[in-house]
Amino acid sequence: MNFRDLLVPLYERHLLMQFTHIPAHIAIIQDGNRRFAKEMGIDTAKGHRAGADKTEEMLDWAHDLGIRYITIYSFSTENFNRAEDEVQDLFRLFREKFIRIISDERVHRYRIRIQMVGDRSLLPGDLRSAIETAEEATKNYDGFTLNVALAYGGRNEIVLAAREIVAAVREGKIAPSAIDVQMVESHLHEGKDIPPVDLIIRTGNEYRTSNFLPWLANGHESAVYFCAPYWPLFRKIDLLRAIRIYDQRMRAKAH
């Protein structure tokens, strides 16, 4: 163990002492897996796998800090434009991880509820089946919730909700005059009860939110934290720095 390794726990404790507000819902844009792989001289699939392993590590941090909801941006609708081999590798990785959830001791110990958000009709059948099995196995857990955004696009999410509402109006189930903010929210994310986003984190030194949860994040003026590390290199220190930004915003609002 070198001197730097000894300092890390001390700095984590220092950061913890700097804030009192913990966000209930953090949304993470996990950027940089491919660039990490390139710099490390490994293939892209291994970069994505390193990112998936980091997501699992995040579950421990979230539990320690008392975070109740995490939404991770794993695969956007735009990602379908990537090379077919890469897309299929990602789908295999997602399927493997969802299957592992059933036997993951951490999931059951922390009572983590797993949910997918996005257009599942765009996903292959074996992946949809693995997702549904994981959702069913954890549907009664209330420790905290991990939302996995797959085949997700913020504008597409609103379009899907609009289609449901229009269909209900045509069937006479909803009066046009009854459409309000609460009704739209009830049709977002397949009716899942997902609270507003308090904090968005984006890794990989990119400074944009990429159409991620526009209704729950932009509509509620979430705090945003951009950081340089690629997602596989994201540390608990980076998470604590992000929460410090959220805490500063909450303190400012209180005055």
Side-chain angles (χ1 to χ4, degrees):
M1 180 178 290
N2 58 36
F3 183 65
R4 184 185 181 90
D5 292 332
L6 292 173
L7 287 178
V8 168
L10 294 176
Y11 187 47
E12 288 179 358
R13 286 197 288 272
H14 171 69
L15 287 169
L16 278 166
M17 294 171 61
Q18 293 185 12
F19 54 77
T20 57
H21 298 90
I22 299 292
H25 185 183
I26 296 179
I28 304 174
I29 303 172
Q30 306 164 296
D31 200 4
N33 291 347
R34 295 195 294 176
R35 285 176 286 161
F36 167 79
K38 184 176 181 179
E39 290 192 9
M40 295 296 292
I42 59 179
D43 61 47
T44 301
K46 290 182 179 178
H48 289 308
R49 185 166 293 277
D53 292 341
K54 179 60 63 175
T55 299
E56 293 186 9
E57 190 176 4
M58 266 284 298
L59 300 181
D60 290 318
W61 303 341
H63 177 265
D64 292 345
L65 292 168
I67 297 164
R68 296 302 307 276
Y69 295 85
I70 294 178
T71 302
I72 56 174
Y73 205 174
S74 296
F75 191 88
S76 72
T77 48
E78 289 78 14
N79 289 154
F80 281 102
N81 296 323
R82 293 183 178 180
E84 180 66 18
D85 287 349
E86 181 180 355
V87 172
Q88 293 306 315
D89 283 340
L90 279 167
F91 286 166
R92 281 190 290 270
L93 175 59
F94 296 147
R95 180 175 178 273
E96 173 191 318
K97 293 297 183 181
F98 276 106
I99 289 174
R100 274 188 54 191
I101 284 168
I102 308 303
S103 58
D104 190 329
E105 182 269 339
R106 183 197 295 108
V107 170
H108 302 296
R109 183 172 77 250
Y110 297 161
R111 296 184 59 79
I112 302 172
R113 183 177 185 181
I114 308 296
Q115 299 184 142
M116 176 199 152
V117 295
D119 189 350
R120 62 184 70 208
S121 71
L122 299 176
L123 300 176
D126 60 346
L127 176 53
R128 288 201 306 272
S129 178
I131 291 168
E132 290 163 5
T133 300
E135 288 178 327
E136 179 65 23
T138 63
K139 67 180 182 180
N140 294 319
Y141 285 172
D142 56 5
F144 69 88
T145 300
L146 175 64
N147 301 306
V148 183
L150 292 175
Y152 179 85
R155 288 179 295 180
N156 188 52
E157 185 68 52
I158 294 172
V159 167
L160 292 174
R163 287 177 182 169
E164 290 184 5
I165 294 171
V166 168
V169 169
R170 286 177 175 169
E171 295 170 6
K173 297 178 180 178
I174 296 175
S177 59
I179 300 173
D180 56 13
V181 170
Q182 289 72 30
M183 180 173 291
V184 174
E185 287 186 346
S186 71
H187 284 81
L188 290 171
H189 317 113
E190 299 178 316
K192 295 180 175 69
D193 186 19
I194 301 176
V197 174
D198 299 308
L199 170 65
I200 294 179
I201 299 172
R202 180 164 191 154
T203 62
N205 213 28
E206 290 283 350
Y207 294 85
R208 51 198 171 89
T209 57
S210 294
N211 195 28
F212 189 33
L213 301 174
W215 189 282
L216 295 178
N218 298 341
H220 294 272
E221 298 185 351
S222 307
V224 181
Y225 181 76
F226 300 108
C227 59
Y230 301 138
W231 175 245
L233 299 176
F234 190 75
R235 305 160 299 172
K236 189 175 183 180
I237 283 174
D238 300 306
L239 176 61
L240 294 174
R241 286 170 173 167
I243 294 175
R244 182 173 59 183
I245 293 296
Y246 168 77
D247 180 77
Q248 290 169 353
R249 187 171 186 276
M250 294 300 293
R251 290 173 187 267
K253 287 175 65 176
H255 292 89

